[in-house]
Amino acid sequence: MRRSSAIIVAVATASVAVGAVNATAESPPADRQGQYAAAAEEFGVPASVLLGVSYLESRWNVNAGTPSTSAGYGPMHLTDVAAANTGGTHHDDGTEDPRGDTARPTLRPEPGELDLSSPTLRTVELAADLTGVDEATLRTDVRQNIRGGAALLAHHQRELGVDSDRPADWYGAVARYSGATDTATAANFADEVFATIAEGAERVTDDGQRMRLAARAVDPNTGQLARLGLRQTDEDEAECPRGLGCEWLPAPYEEFEGGYGNHDKANRPESQKIEYIVIHDTEATWDTTLDLVQDPTYVSWQYSLRSADGHIAQHVKAKDVAWQAGNWYVNSKSIGLEHEGFAAQGTWYTEAMYRSSAKLVRYLAAKHRIPLDRAHIIGHDNVPGTVPSTVRGMHWDPGPYWDWAHYFDLLGKPFRGVGTPRAGLVTINPDFDTNRPAFTGCEVEGEPCPSRGSTSVILRTEPRSDAPLLTDIGLHPDGSPGTMHISDHSSRVETGQQYAIADRRGDWTAIWYLGQKGWFHNPRHAPTAEWSIGLTATPKRGRESVPVYGRAYPEASAYPEHITPQEIVPLQYTLPAGQEYAVGLVTGSEYYWAVSYDAGNHTVVRGKTKYVQVQFGHRVAYVKLADVDLRPSVSR
């Protein structure tokens, strides 16, 4: 396995385009639209192509000057891995056992060093060479960043030997800009850019600039792709929609001294229904991610997605169980997607990766009949701890900067409300760009994070902005309130999650959350949630409270003699009488016994106990169906 941390940079030598060194042109355009137009004219790039590429990288956002999860800066995503915070990986942050099976010894993976060798992580150097602008300025100055992207596109076009101002003749340069090393991924990136040009786009960026790409019919010269010299991707083994640029790089199922790894063989969905797709962020570079998942002593996940171009690698078949979510019940019922990223906090995700991920999830959801909602498409941060002792160490990726609303728009399932507050539920749905919680600790403990859009909404104990945060006794056993640290979701809800309405006062709405009433600002003129309808769970009459569980395991009598029953251990929370919680699904009880390398001994244990998945706090949880009443959420 490669564990190199050396930075290997391949910077092509090329003639500087005419006018490219004019980094300080007189009276540069002040508006963003004009800056794109000026850069396009200076470097001879069709404006629609420059705008289309930038949209697919960043949606024209500047992201507060912070790097993306693949070290890209600015609206043109110029990469500089040396400047980005390389951090560690989320698999070595905290105490979570990714396998999450208490029937086996605790798994503590060692991630090793990051591999930062890919030339695609240093495109800012070539842009500096082409423009005469220093790398720091290209990272931080938006106008120069746009010029740098235009210079790169013009450079790729010259390398192809194409002299044309027709957008259709820039297909090869666009494909090259993606940084993809295989034909299918490069084509998918270029196809998305030209689809954006054909459809047009208009939006206000995260720094308040109104941008527009007029729709224009273009028949791109796709034949240029063959001239890029990229490798062909063998998609035969990969379980992906065709044309997505997906390859099969298997995780090893191997025995070694002291155990085996790094996943378990199964026969899903025949043996167990797949209920969830879990969204992760790797907090590691692409090459490091691939090294880790191909290590039999490490952990596993089904798919990895590359940030810069949306390329996908599959490692574990959907029928098998990957060790990815820290909860064995969820692992055995889910498919895990790891999205490339190594700057552990405060980073952003490219549009190219969002789109590839959404295509893959739509395919998987249709194939396995998984509903496209936030009860089934969940983040790692929504997976519950297994027992009280594991709650505090559970991971929190993809974090508060993953744009769930945009992701579900791409999935074709936008979050829409129904009716009035009498519907009884809310679906959290703030405006991503303007919703900017004051998080801390992205780079330095206690220091404010950059001001940037988020899908998180903060809860208070009272309907006022200076009221204390709620308490999560799993994360703060001493009973202290939650904090605004980036990883502390004690008092935080996420876009798409549904909660039962507990109260309303003016511009404030209260929901039931971890056994408490949590208030969030929800003004009519700028709502942060949609009124919604569904089922809720509440304790049966006469019960003061009911236990809450992190796993939906069977009763002891359901286990065969050769399998030790898994103890049904409630978490440290309870669901009190008088409170209601949104229902995600009702399910039977299961435990997948797979404690040895010999898959012939693996057994699915099913019990008579039924469970209800509820949105209990930031994470989902389970209650026994026999303990609760289910009823429509409509206010009574």
Side-chain angles (χ1 to χ4, degrees), residues 89 91-92 96-98 106-112 297-299 395:
T89 86
H91 293 298
D92 62 347
E96 180 186 293
D97 172 357
T106 300
L107 189 66
R108 290 283 182 262
E110 296 293 336
T297 67
Y298 201 63
V299 296
H395 292 151

Side-chain angles (χ1 to χ4, degrees), residues 7-30:
I7 299 175
I8 303 170
V9 183
V11 179
T13 58
S15 300
V16 177
V18 175
V21 295
N22 182 19
T24 57
E26 294 182 6
S27 303

Side-chain angles (χ1 to χ4, degrees), residues 592-625:
Y592 183 45
W593 187 70
V595 298
S596 67
Y597 179 75
D598 182 4
N601 292 327
H602 297 177
T603 304
V604 178
V605 180
R606 293 187 175 87
K608 296 180 180 179
T609 306
K610 292 188 178 298
Y611 288 86
V612 179
Q613 177 187 309
V614 294
Q615 189 64 60
F616 190 62
H618 188 90
R619 302 184 188 273
V620 300
Y622 304 94
V623 292
K624 292 182 179 179
L625 179 59

